[in-house]
Amino acid sequence: MSALRASLLKAIESLKAEVVTMADMVLNNINEAFLAFKTNNVKKAASLIKLDEEVDKLEEDISKSALRLIWKEQPYAHDLRMVTGILKLITDLERIGDHAADIAEQTLHIGELKNQRLLPKTTMMSESAYQMVLNAINAFVKQDLALAQQVIKDDDIVDNQFDDVMKSVTEQIKGETIVSEYAVSVIMVAKYMERIADHAVNLAEWTIFIITGEHKSTPLF
């Protein structure tokens, strides 16, 4: 292996490690944001909103590292797909982080309103969305095409769970068994989780691009 090739591979592995660090933080923020909402932990929610700034900083740092790698190492073929794919991946990771902060903001919004009833279906949806993001990241790390394709299929599960949440909230509003302000927050949180799942699909699609050179059935390289 030439010294130039070894340098390129080392730089790519370092870049991938930065992505994993960012992904770990985003996954933690998703989990903690929903836990804060479920338990009405306003203090935790406030701290998570501040943590989103760290996610934004990581995206900026990784972008700079990727651009330096392209300029210095001049990668081509699969290596170039890896770097450009990472630039796309981190955009979706940052947006997932934003939605974790959005969920935390809903906890602050309801403030002292007693958390009387968290829908079990909302909890199931949060677990499904979280698992999709986790699987999408693992697909990227392992370059696992089948796992990436499975993430895309699993989006239907979250979409169906979202519909179930909407029906349940509607029934509780009609039956006057839920405070309207809290019902709105549940709906918003469910919507953010649906968007998180959509971004997980994007992560999977960019991993497929890195592996195959195709994105949404369109050859790019």
Side-chain angles (χ1 to χ4, degrees):
M1 182 184 296
S2 68
L4 183 61
R5 178 64 179 166
S7 174
L8 173 60
L9 291 178
K10 183 178 179 180
I12 288 176
E13 287 305 310
S14 177
L15 190 63
K16 287 170 66 177
E18 289 185 68
V19 174
V20 171
T21 297
M22 182 180 180
D24 285 344
M25 180 175 290
V26 168
L27 284 165
N28 178 73
N29 288 1
I30 296 170
N31 187 57
E32 292 297 303
F34 188 73
L35 180 61
F37 180 76
K38 183 164 63 173
T39 59
N40 262 22
N41 191 329
V42 176
K43 184 177 180 180
K44 182 189 288 289
S47 67
L48 286 167
I49 292 171
K50 292 180 181 179
L51 278 179
D52 188 50
E53 296 176 5
E54 295 183 29
V55 174
D56 294 343
K57 180 66 165 54
L58 282 172
E59 182 198 19
E60 181 181 349
D61 290 344
I62 295 170
S63 295
K64 290 177 180 178
S65 295
L67 293 174
R68 280 196 300 268
L69 190 156
I70 292 172
W71 173 76
K72 183 178 179 181
E73 305 292 346
Q74 298 182 0
Y76 60 92
H78 180 267
D79 295 327
L80 182 57
R81 290 205 307 270
M82 174 63 74
V83 179
T84 54
I86 283 173
L87 284 168
K88 295 294 186 178
L89 279 165
I90 60 175
T91 297
D92 281 293
L93 279 175
E94 189 274 334
R95 288 175 181 169
I96 292 171
D98 285 344
H99 291 318
D102 290 334
I103 293 171
E105 286 177 356
Q106 285 302 316
T107 300
L108 297 181
H109 175 67
I110 59 178
E112 299 301 319
L113 183 64
K114 191 173 181 180
N115 190 349
Q116 63 188 46
R117 190 186 302 266
L118 183 76
L119 298 171
K121 291 179 180 179
T122 313
T123 300
M124 289 174 59
M125 186 180 178
S126 73
E127 292 170 352
S128 297
Y130 177 91
Q131 191 63 47
M132 281 182 65
V133 177
L134 179 60
N135 287 346
I137 295 303
N138 282 334
F140 165 71
V141 172
K142 298 175 183 178
Q143 292 293 279
D144 188 329
L145 181 61
L147 184 56
Q149 292 169 334
Q150 185 60 51
V151 170
I152 295 171
K153 293 177 182 177
D154 288 345
D155 190 43
D156 288 339
I157 296 173
V158 175
D159 287 342
N160 290 335
Q161 288 173 334
F162 177 76
D163 291 339
D164 287 343
V165 170
M166 294 302 100
K167 290 176 183 176
S168 295
V169 172
T170 300
E171 289 172 1
Q172 291 194 37
I173 290 173
K174 289 179 178 178
E176 298 183 346
T177 57
I178 188 170
V179 176
S180 59
E181 188 177 4
Y182 182 68
V184 170
S185 288
V186 171
I187 291 171
M188 293 301 295
V189 168
K191 187 62 182 176
Y192 293 137
M193 288 189 293
E194 182 192 36
R195 290 175 181 171
I196 286 171
D198 288 341
H199 287 298
V201 169
N202 290 346
L203 294 175
E205 287 174 342
W206 285 116
T207 292
I208 292 170
F209 161 70
I210 291 169
I211 297 170
T212 67
E214 295 185 355
H215 185 256
K216 296 182 179 179
S217 302
T218 302
L220 300 180
F221 279 87

